[in-house]
Amino acid sequence: MSLLDLSRWQFRYWRTGRALYLQMFRFWRRIFAVGFAIGVTVFFVEAGFIGVLLYGDGRVRKGTMSLSSVMVSVGTVLSSAWIIAANSWMRTPAGFKVVHGQFEPTDWMRVIFNPSFIWRRPHMLAAVLISASFFGAGISAWHLVKGRAKGFARRSIHHTRPTVSVRNFPAAPLLFARCGYLRLARSGTGEAHP
């Protein structure tokens, strides 16, 4: 479900006049609005700092550049949290009641921190960090093989090693297995559902 669905339902209501499409639009608009408002706020903060990060080198003080890099990292982690929370709620909804056939939130903490969020969030963070580290290590290794920027390449590989080391690998599959278990338990069929 996405904002595209909202547009489609509003368009279908306009074209057909069917109250069901208006009901769907109004309900899901409220659900998306909470995440969207928080996401937009985080996005604007992140976007402002990424502008400084990309174009401020040599134009702003070193402290401002450092603050910008930290704020972009924090903003990215917060943005991804809302995406994972929304997706997790659609997989394992919690903290709601059904009134007249519509979901109404009763406990926002349970809506956000639903059963699968607790496992999916660290799983996605681990997966992203490991993937990005392999990407960086691969580019650095290419530079070493080509004999370019050896000091830079060696130092870059050195910084990716803690993330891609063997001791961190069990974390991602363990979290992935737990996420898969939640899907199987929810379906009750023994079949995996994405």
Side-chain angles (χ1 to χ4, degrees), residues 63-153:
T64 304
M65 287 297 291
S66 296
L67 176 66
S68 295
S69 66
V70 168
M71 293 305 291
V72 167
S73 298
V74 168
T76 301
V77 169
L78 290 176
S79 293
S80 67
W82 289 110
I83 293 166
I84 299 290
N87 188 274
S88 295
W89 188 85
M90 288 188 275
R91 294 176 183 276
T92 56
F96 69 95
K97 64 182 178 181
V98 178
V99 178
H100 305 295
Q102 294 185 0
F103 294 109
E104 286 189 11
T106 57
D107 182 358
W108 280 106
M109 292 303 286
R110 289 189 64 220
V111 168
I112 295 167
F113 301 106
N114 59 69
S116 65
F117 176 85
I118 294 164
W119 293 100
R120 291 168 61 94
R121 179 76 175 129
H123 164 68
M124 290 307 299
L125 280 176
V128 165
L129 291 173
I130 290 170
S131 298
S133 292
F134 270 113
F135 181 73
I139 290 173
S140 299
W142 183 82
H143 278 284
L144 281 175
V145 167
K146 294 293 184 180
R148 301 181 191 166
K150 289 182 180 179
F152 160 81

Side-chain angles (χ1 to χ4, degrees), residues 2-194:
S2 68
L3 291 174
L4 184 60
D5 293 314
L6 287 179
S7 301
R8 185 175 65 218
W9 295 326
Q10 180 60 36
F11 181 78
R12 285 185 178 172
Y13 172 69
W14 173 62
R15 296 291 292 175
T16 67
R18 290 186 59 196
L20 175 64
Y21 292 125
L22 181 61
Q23 179 185 10
M24 292 168 69
F25 171 78
R26 286 181 176 165
F27 171 75
W28 289 108
R29 175 184 61 187
R30 284 180 283 172
I31 298 296
F32 277 112
V34 173
F36 186 72
I38 294 169
V40 166
T41 304
V42 170
F43 170 76
F44 277 112
V45 170
E46 184 182 358
F49 282 110
I50 202 165
V52 173
L53 186 70
L54 293 175
Y55 303 111
D57 197 14
R59 295 183 177 98
V60 297
R61 291 181 284 159
K62 290 179 183 178
T64 304
M65 287 297 291
S66 296
L67 176 66
S68 295
S69 66
V70 168
M71 293 305 291
V72 167
S73 298
V74 168
T76 301
V77 169
L78 290 176
S79 293
S80 67
W82 289 110
I83 293 166
I84 299 290
N87 188 274
S88 295
W89 188 85
M90 288 188 275
R91 294 176 183 276
T92 56
F96 69 95
K97 64 182 178 181
V98 178
V99 178
H100 305 295
Q102 294 185 0
F103 294 109
E104 286 189 11
T106 57
D107 182 358
W108 280 106
M109 292 303 286
R110 289 189 64 220
V111 168
I112 295 167
F113 301 106
N114 59 69
S116 65
F117 176 85
I118 294 164
W119 293 100
R120 291 168 61 94
R121 179 76 175 129
H123 164 68
M124 290 307 299
L125 280 176
V128 165
L129 291 173
I130 290 170
S131 298
S133 292
F134 270 113
F135 181 73
I139 290 173
S140 299
W142 183 82
H143 278 284
L144 281 175
V145 167
K146 294 293 184 180
R148 301 181 191 166
K150 289 182 180 179
F152 160 81
R154 278 194 187 99
R155 179 57 64 181
S156 295
I157 286 177
H158 176 75
H159 283 282
T160 64
R161 282 193 341 219
T163 307
V164 300
S165 68
V166 175
R167 68 173 183 235
N168 288 330
F169 275 143
L174 173 67
L175 294 168
F176 179 75
R178 181 63 185 167
C179 291
Y181 169 76
L182 287 170
R183 275 186 257 143
L184 291 173
R186 185 195 76 212
S187 71
T189 62
E191 299 173 358
H193 294 279

